[in-house]
Amino acid sequence: MTDTLLPNGLKGSGGESTYFKKGCNPFAQTGRSKLQNKRASLNQQIIKQMRMRAGAENLLKASSNNKVKEMVLLELSYVNSNLQLLMGQLEGLNSSVEVYQSTQETTNIPLIALGLKETKEVDFSSFFKDFILEHYSQNGNDYEDEIADLMDLRQACRTPSRNEAGVELLAKYFSQLPLMESRFFSPSRQTGIFFTWYDSFTGVPVCQQNLSLEKASILFNMAALYSQIGTRGNRQTIAGLEEAISSFQKAAGTLNHLKETFTHTPSYDMSPAMLSMLIRMMLAQAQECLFEKMALPGIRNQFSSLMKMAQEAAKVSEIYDQVHQSMIQTPIKDNVPFFWSTMSQVKTNHYRSMAHYFVASALLDHQLGPSDDEDQQEKTLSQVYDRLPEGRSPLDILRKEEERERIGKAHIRRAILGHEEALRIYGLCHHLNKLDVLQDILRASHQRSLNKCSENEDEEEFADYTEAPDIISKTEHKSEMEVPATIKVKVTDFFHRLGPLSVFSAKQRWTAPQTIRLRPEDRDLGFTLKGESPVQVVSLDPLCPAAADGLKEGDYITAVGYTDCKWMGVGEVMRLLKDVNEEGIDIQVVSLMESNPQMPTKSATFCGNLPKTYSMICLAHDDDEKKSRKVTKKSSFISWGLKNKLKSASTLSLPTADHSGALPWNKPTPTFPSSSSYNNDSALY
């Protein structure tokens, strides 16, 4: 894999440069990498406090001494306080949007990027070597390089670079996971390998032996990386805005793919409700960038252009309002940073006020003249309003200067009120107060609306309390989810030498390699070959020497002499066998064994303080049901075939709704901050 290695520019102790994988730079001391290191440190502190709390709660339940109970309660209050502080620090990291912004970004409202999920290192070597020896009957030490490459690739995915190369790195590992699952993860045995990932919002760890958690977490990090690429773009240029739009749409598409593919993820940051909210937020930010792209060349000071931009701004406000409404729903509001919901609320008011400002400018600055297209302006105005004040029509507003000014001033008043509300909400969040750029933009917009109001203010005019109608949101360029092509990339199987995956997989079982001596009689080997790779023995003569030596019909030929032929076709194998002399040649064959139907294995899941409704595999066996089984008569020989055929056709399904509450997965489960689930599964972690 030398083609995927690049020098990192650092000198080792021997004076030679060290190397790291393309798309990854673990030594980069950027603000983003420092933020991620702080996140990893906080995750470790959170899990430590959770273990202490679990132990204290166990002691509280077990002890009957009142003095001990008082001491334990005091310790619990201390631990819970520490947990709240750590959660607050983690929320602060998720609110540090300024780290992800472009260095040229000085005049645009900051955008929100997702932080990468953290994971622990995993050692595949011992299990993979043992499995290769036991299952594939090969020396596991011969595959040390392949195992090392796989472990290096996973380690590199922990620190991807913030560009397309980093996304491609994650996509390569994601594409390797199904191949690894087919090679080594047998449904009949536990691997002993635990994959641990930390919740991006709460820092709570989830540990599983199932690869589904690994796949889902890599997809989440791909979406997070796309969001970081989107926030990094220079939004003062068309190219930068297009990159941001594409990145946010790809982030939304990746999150939607995650939501549809992995529906029972144990980590709450990947629950359906949370993913739906994140998808809306990514699409809202893409729509905001589309609006900025339209406004970047400058907004023409014309009636139709201003009305068009008003509806575009109203569309951005509408989408952010939907994002805010989803953020304040339980239990999302308990896990999403307060900064996020406040930012979405600020943008809702800001862009709604901007829409009212554009309509006010169109009505106050552009009177209907003889050269204007009256029908076109009437059509435009009627499409902007859902309803008008009673007794007014679009044509009346356009023709009557007094009505035009009255409605225009009503819009500018709503714009001022909206900007004041955005500034008020801005002051409620101390994380927002750190964003000077946002404050400057909000104040400038507010001042612009005040100036427009003062320009059209008449001191002799009585106060008018006409309410401006709502503006219909409309856009010509709607943001859409885009599934990136990098989700499915072609990769080379690290363990290609084990043979074709259709035959040599963890699900298949076969005999140990058997050596057969082939001695041709009258140039006839006594069998024919079929299939692609590996080739299979067919039409075996039961009286030939090979059959007497143990060759059976249906055997797969894995080697001819010292030549491995697992990947050879019929023609290549026949060329190796055609020049066999009288002494013969040794071949190695394996026989496929019938796999007996087995009960599904339990997927060990550790999910600290999370509801069990998000367990990856919901399989349980009721002991009472086992005890109540009736002993059935042994089937006759005639009915045996039919019975097994029906048995093999049966399938395992996820549990359905049970309103009685008798099934284990329908029992009430504790929510955070209870630690009963952590206590029950702590032995697995």
Side-chain angles (χ1 to χ4, degrees), residues 453-467:
C453 181
S454 61
E455 289 174 5
N456 295 272
E457 188 177 9
D458 188 355
E459 296 181 358
E460 299 180 358
E461 186 180 14
F462 290 103
D464 188 2
Y465 297 101
T466 303
E467 184 178 356

Side-chain angles (χ1 to χ4, degrees), residues 397-449:
I397 295 174
L398 291 173
R399 287 178 175 176
K400 298 178 181 179
E401 183 177 350
E402 183 179 349
E403 286 293 327
R404 194 172 183 133
E405 289 185 1
R406 183 179 292 114
I407 299 297
K409 290 179 181 179
H411 278 291
I412 204 65
R413 285 195 297 271
R414 281 198 66 175
I416 293 172
L417 290 175
H419 286 308
E420 290 175 350
E421 179 66 9
L423 285 167
R424 185 190 70 82
I425 297 170
Y426 168 83
L428 296 177
C429 181
H430 69 278
H431 290 297
L432 275 179
N433 294 336
K434 300 176 183 178
L435 300 177
D436 296 333
V437 174
L438 177 60
Q439 186 181 32
D440 293 342
I441 293 173
L442 294 179
R443 286 180 175 175
S445 300
H446 182 229
Q447 188 61 46
R448 183 178 61 177
S449 296

Side-chain angles (χ1 to χ4, degrees), residues 27 33 95 162 300 304 340 374 463-464 494 516 529 613 680:
F27 304 108
S33 63
S95 304
R162 191 165 49 154
R300 299 178 65 184
S304 58
W340 287 18
E374 183 179 286
D464 188 2
F494 282 136
I516 305 294
L529 303 176
T613 50
N680 293 338

Side-chain angles (χ1 to χ4, degrees), residues 475-494:
T475 181
E476 294 181 356
H477 307 282
K478 185 180 179 181
S479 59
E480 304 261 344
M481 288 184 291
E482 180 182 344
V483 179
T486 51
I487 285 184
K488 295 181 179 180
V489 296
K490 290 184 178 180
V491 293
T492 302
D493 185 4
F494 282 136

Side-chain angles (χ1 to χ4, degrees), residues 548-560:
D549 208 9
L551 186 65
K552 297 184 293 295
E553 190 158 341
D555 285 353
Y556 292 96
I557 298 179
T558 59
V560 176

